[in-house]
């Protein structure tokens, strides 16, 4: 399989960006395999994702491309990132009692459907431990029954992020609210998943509430974690039509399937460097 690298960038939209980028790529001895770009009329920002290969000497291509690219990025004052397309994203999974999202992520990692490497599943309940053991992934259980426990749990998150060079933290139905301080530390690299109803049902037993109201759509939303609860930039959403015949248990099963699929797509896009932030919105190059 051909070795490729992924370049992503964000800068103020202005003439000459694409020309300068492709010129740097050619000078480095590279070839474009895939290219996508977007100019936001709302913010005036320009976004681009290029997947490139080396015409020759791939072992030194990243260094050559970086050398050619650096002055171009300074010229346009761009935020940019260059990574190997086959690298596995170091990912920490946070969990509570529900295991459907944890199972889907670990299964997808094992089968190569997700370019992630999970060094640890960290949970405030012991339930996901058996599942983590099945997949051969280390597991830690730190119960939270008081505010001091929550602080200890969040400190452990920080330690794991540092110890394992974690690039993404996934809240796989982790049912604790992260502190504003930790949200700020993980800005842009923490993804949450939750059910999404029209209308919305909060509190205990949302699927029973949905059943009693006769909902016709059940969905899920994956978004970045911010200090505003469940209001971070949306990455992916999906819905499934249901009708009066579905019981609360069936609605929950349908909803959990949607949550797992939606979260998997969001994590996959993040791992492939396909998600760029544009204020409160996301630009996703699929």
């Amino acid at each position: 399989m051909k070795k490729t690298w992924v370049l992503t960038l964000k800068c103020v939209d202005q003439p000459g960006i694409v020309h300068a980028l492709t010129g740097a790529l050619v000078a480095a001895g590279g070839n474009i395999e895939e290219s996508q770009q977007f100019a936001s009329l709302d913010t005036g920002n320009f976004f681009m994702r290029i997947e490139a290969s080396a015409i020759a000497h791939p072992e030194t291509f990243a260094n050559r491309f970086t050398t050619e690219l650096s002055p171009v990025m300074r010229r346009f004052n761009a935020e940019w990132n260059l990574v190997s397309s086959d690298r596995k994203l170091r990912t920490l999974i946070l969990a509570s009692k529900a295991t459907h999202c944890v199972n889907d992520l670990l299964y997808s990692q094992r089968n190569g459907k997700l370019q992630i490497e999970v060094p640890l599943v960290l949970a405030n309940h012991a339930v996901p431990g058996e599942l983590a053991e099945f997949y051969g992934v280390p597991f830690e259980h730190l119960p939270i029954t008081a505010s001091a426990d929550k602080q200890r749990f969040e400190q452990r998150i920080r330690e794991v992020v540092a110890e394992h060079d974690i690039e993404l933290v996934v809240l796989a139905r982790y049912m604790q609210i992260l502190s504003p301080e930790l949200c700020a530390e993980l800005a842009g690299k923490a993804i949450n998943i939750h059910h999404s109803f029209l209308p919305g049902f909060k509190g205990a037993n949302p699927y029973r509430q949905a059943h009693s109201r006769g909902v016709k759509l059940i969905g899920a939303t994956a978004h970045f974690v911010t200090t505003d609860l469940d209001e971070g930039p949306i990455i992916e959403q999906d819905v499934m039509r249901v009708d009066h015949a579905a019981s609360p248990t069936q609605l929950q099963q349908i909803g959990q399937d949607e949550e797992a699929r939606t979260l998997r797509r969001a994590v996959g896009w993040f791992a492939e460097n396909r998600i760029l932030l544009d204020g409160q919105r996301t630009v996703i190059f699929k």
Side-chain angles (χ1 to χ4, degrees):
M1 182 179 295
K2 185 183 296 185
K3 172 79 172 179
T4 61
W5 288 260
V6 174
L7 169 70
T8 54
L9 71 93
K10 170 186 175 181
C11 65
V12 174
D13 190 21
Q14 52 196 295
I17 301 172
V18 176
H19 181 268
L21 275 175
T22 54
L25 178 61
V26 170
N31 182 57
I32 294 177
E33 301 290 338
E34 177 184 310
S35 179
Q36 294 173 286
Q37 63 192 64
F38 173 73
S40 172
L41 296 178
D42 298 310
T43 62
N45 289 325
F46 176 82
F47 304 86
M48 194 167 188
R49 181 185 186 275
I50 293 177
E51 190 164 337
S53 62
I55 297 173
H57 305 295
E59 67 279 1
T60 59
F61 174 72
N63 290 335
R64 298 197 310 270
F65 195 18
T66 298
T67 299
E68 297 291 341
L69 201 60
S70 294
V72 175
M73 296 297 96
R74 288 194 296 270
R75 171 184 164 193
F76 292 104
N77 193 27
E79 301 173 19
W80 63 287
N81 188 36
L82 178 66
V83 297
S84 172
S85 61
D86 62 358
R87 93 202 193 294
K88 292 186 177 180
L89 192 80
R90 293 179 295 278
T91 304
L92 169 63
I93 295 177
L94 305 183
S96 289
K97 290 182 178 179
T99 58
H100 54 287
C101 287
V102 177
N103 179 64
D104 190 82
L105 291 172
L106 295 182
Y107 173 81
S108 298
Q109 174 199 232
R110 170 181 283 186
N111 288 276
K113 294 180 179 179
L114 285 179
Q115 291 183 206
I116 63 173
E117 177 184 349
V118 181
L120 181 68
V121 174
L122 180 60
N124 64 318
H125 289 276
V127 178
E130 184 176 349
L131 187 62
E133 182 180 2
F134 173 79
Y135 285 106
V137 175
F139 175 77
E140 286 187 25
H141 167 221
L142 296 176
I144 298 177
T145 58
S147 60
D149 295 331
K150 183 173 182 178
Q151 293 173 9
R152 180 170 65 117
F153 193 100
E154 292 200 350
Q155 182 55 35
R156 183 57 184 145
I157 294 174
R158 294 182 176 94
E159 292 170 357
V160 174
V161 168
E163 290 169 8
H164 296 280
D165 294 323
I166 295 297
E167 300 168 274
L168 176 65
V169 177
V170 181
L171 282 65
R173 296 302 290 165
Y174 174 65
M175 302 306 290
Q176 295 285 322
I177 299 172
L178 299 185
S179 68
E181 294 78 15
L182 187 57
C183 286
E185 293 172 36
L186 298 177
K189 63 176 184 177
I191 295 176
N192 190 23
I193 184 72
H194 60 81
H195 61 73
S196 181
F197 286 119
L198 296 174
F201 301 108
K202 299 180 180 180
N205 299 315
Y207 289 98
R208 187 166 295 280
Q209 296 178 55
H211 179 264
S212 66
R213 290 286 299 276
V215 298
K216 300 298 184 278
L217 291 174
I218 284 182
T221 297
H223 63 88
F224 282 111
V225 175
T226 64
T227 54
D228 296 322
L229 182 62
D230 293 338
E231 294 187 11
I234 294 170
I235 300 170
E236 174 66 332
Q237 293 179 299
D238 206 352
V239 294
M240 175 74 73
R241 294 201 67 85
V242 295
D243 60 27
H244 61 278
S247 68
T249 299
Q250 289 172 323
L251 292 180
Q252 184 175 23
Q253 292 170 344
I254 294 169
Q256 288 180 343
D257 286 345
E258 287 300 316
E259 290 170 11
R261 282 193 293 268
T262 301
L263 181 60
R264 186 198 323 133
R265 284 195 292 270
V267 171
W269 293 337
F270 191 96
E272 294 173 6
N273 279 50
R274 295 186 179 275
I275 306 172
L276 295 170
L277 279 167
D278 187 24
Q280 290 300 307
R281 303 173 68 228
T282 57
V283 174
I284 301 176
F285 294 122
K286 299 181 183 178

